[in-house]
Amino acid sequence: MQNGMHTDTERCVRAVQSKDARFDGWFFTAVLTTRIYCRPSCPVVPPKPENMTFYPSAAACQQAGFRACKRCRPDTSPGSPEWNQRADLVARAMRLIADGTVDREGVPGLAARLGYSTRQIERQLLAELGAGPLALARAQRAQTARLLIETTALPMAEIAFAAGFSSIRAFNDTVRDVFALSPSELRNRRPKTTVLTPGTLTLRLPFRAPLNPDNLFGHLAATAVPGVEEWRAGAYRRTLRLPYGHGIASLTPKSDHIACRLTLSDLRDLPVAISRCRRMLDLDADPVAVDDQLRTDPVLAPLVDKAPGRRVPRTVDEAEFAVRAVLGQQVSTAAARTHAARLVTAHGEPVDDPEGGLTHLFPSPEALAAVDPESLAMPRARRTTFTTLVGQLADGTLHLGVESDWTEIRAQLLSLPGFGPWTADVIAMRALGDPDAFLPTDLGIRRAAQELGLPSTPAALTARAAAWRPWRAYAVQYLWATDSHPINFLPV
């Protein structure tokens, strides 16, 4: 699959006629006769090819006057994997829009984050997605509104403002335009058996199959920082620091979706919380494309065939992960968790968790920058690395976010004292989402390489790994999985 797939009419028609769910999110089918748009896997009888036209985004369909299909609900498709595998302006803009930047800061704020003019951003988004940043943000607001309408008993006025609409009228008009139903009609279509828990939102996070949950949830659970994260009753749970407040996410792997329960102090954070949970679990990945590439290597092929669909476990907070990466330098997983737990207890913000044992938000860079360095139980060199990192994160010299340029940030990290290739690359892989980040100096990778007969020196292994590009971060997951470390197993 590739950029601009919606322009390949013949291929799109074949995907629609075969109801191939792998293409959901890659493009959208608009039906000229009914004026509705669908995902490729829509269960209804496919329209005639001459009645189909294709768009790269739901926003482009809506802008062209098409309404969402009530059967397949195309607005709930997994996101396009392109935005997480590319590092160009459009991909970085899409990651920021998903993170709610346009709703909070407007298009000028989006442009400022990216270092381009608003005109340049609008022109590139229109050229590739058929919709500008405002239309893309409007489509996201519509989906947020639908979730709140269907999963809560909140009054419509509260939902309108929580979803980011500036007025009740804009909310009503958008919902009717996108879904061909009024907000009240949408709520009336909710199954009568739906159980609503006040203050808690329950939803399904879709993904492209296959998804192997073992290393994904195993890694998150094995490295969980007490008070901030936990594995409880088959779910990974953690606290979230969000733009308007805080939240708690509970994520449970199912065969065809991730069951998600969110408790938010401010409902305006819903789209951001969903986006960050999806990003942490790498749910917008295209596992078929990844695994097909890795299978071309005869050494990796058996590993992929044994457990296809491995994802890269990522993070909900880039700065937090960078701090934890430093705490984990040259120590065991248990020792890194202990160091992080001490910081959380001393400097994290307390939260209430009636359903479990979560107690704090992970400390902000500002809070950590104010810590007395002499109070840190770590070697002096590591202490310097830690204080330099949190100082630059706090004053804005170093900014880690979904919009970060992977190459620039890696170079900036390598200029910090105590930062070598392993630390910079693990941050690129798990915090910034670079799908091609590679860890040739990692002990687990070198051990796996030796056992599999791959080159074990960093330079030789990097040369061999060139054939795995642009998916070397996924190759890391398959190599790590050859070990019996707890990160590779779903907790029981």
Side-chain angles (χ1 to χ4, degrees), residues 257-378:
H257 69 280
I258 303 297
C260 175
R261 282 171 57 83
L262 290 171
T263 304
L264 303 174
S265 63
D266 192 318
L267 284 175
R268 290 177 294 175
D269 283 321
L270 176 60
V272 178
I274 293 173
S275 174
R276 292 184 183 178
C277 288
R278 292 191 63 81
R279 185 168 170 79
M280 175 175 65
L281 300 181
D282 197 16
L283 297 186
D284 290 329
D286 182 355
V288 173
V290 172
D291 289 351
D292 283 352
Q293 174 70 21
L294 298 183
R295 280 193 185 96
T296 61
D297 188 310
V299 175
L300 291 187
L303 305 180
V304 176
D305 291 337
K306 180 182 178 181
R310 291 193 184 277
R311 300 300 206 270
V312 178
R314 292 186 173 138
T315 183
V316 294
D317 188 316
E318 296 81 7
E320 172 192 315
F321 185 85
V323 171
R324 291 170 61 172
V326 168
L327 296 177
Q329 288 178 332
Q330 299 178 336
V331 299
S332 67
T333 299
R337 294 179 68 214
T338 299
H339 284 314
R342 288 173 182 156
L343 289 176
V344 166
T345 302
H347 308 288
E349 299 165 42
V351 298
D352 294 325
D353 177 23
E355 297 184 4
L358 303 181
T359 59
H360 291 80
L361 299 176
F362 194 84
S364 67
E366 293 76 14
L368 293 175
V371 173
D372 178 4
E374 296 302 319
S375 69
L376 299 172
M378 58 182 71

Side-chain angles (χ1 to χ4, degrees), residues 27-28 37 55-64 66 74-75 129 131 135-136 139:
F27 69 91
F28 295 83
Y37 72 94
Y55 289 91
S57 65
C61 294
Q62 295 166 18
Q63 197 158 264
F66 294 91
D75 52 302
L129 287 154
L136 292 162

Side-chain angles (χ1 to χ4, degrees), residues 108-243:
L110 177 71
R113 292 276 201 104
L114 295 168
Y116 287 80
S117 70
T118 56
R119 181 175 295 180
Q120 287 173 305
I121 291 170
E122 288 172 348
R123 183 169 61 245
Q124 291 209 30
L125 288 174
L126 278 168
E128 185 159 342
L129 287 154
L134 289 176
L136 292 162
R138 177 179 182 263
Q140 181 166 287
R141 283 196 296 274
Q143 168 60 4
T144 302
R146 182 176 198 159
L147 279 172
L148 291 172
I149 290 167
E150 294 180 339
T151 62
T152 76
L154 289 172
M156 294 300 177
E158 291 186 33
I159 289 176
F161 294 110
F165 291 96
S166 58
S167 69
I168 302 294
R169 180 175 180 177
F171 163 71
N172 287 329
D173 290 347
T174 297
V175 170
R176 191 178 292 276
D177 286 347
V178 174
F179 303 115
L181 294 168
S182 69
S184 297
E185 289 169 332
L186 263 182
R187 177 163 281 175
N188 290 337
R189 289 169 59 90
R190 182 172 61 198
K192 303 303 181 186
T193 55
T194 300
V195 178
L196 303 178
T197 304
T200 300
L201 302 166
T202 302
L203 52 145
R204 297 159 62 104
L205 303 182
F207 55 76
R208 291 177 183 83
L211 181 145
N212 187 320
D214 295 357
N215 72 299
L216 178 59
F217 285 90
H219 206 127
L220 295 171
T223 60
V225 176
V228 174
E229 304 164 285
E230 68 175 359
W231 181 265
R232 180 181 291 265
Y236 167 75
R237 304 178 73 248
R238 73 153 293 152
T239 59
L240 306 171
R241 182 185 299 279
L242 298 164

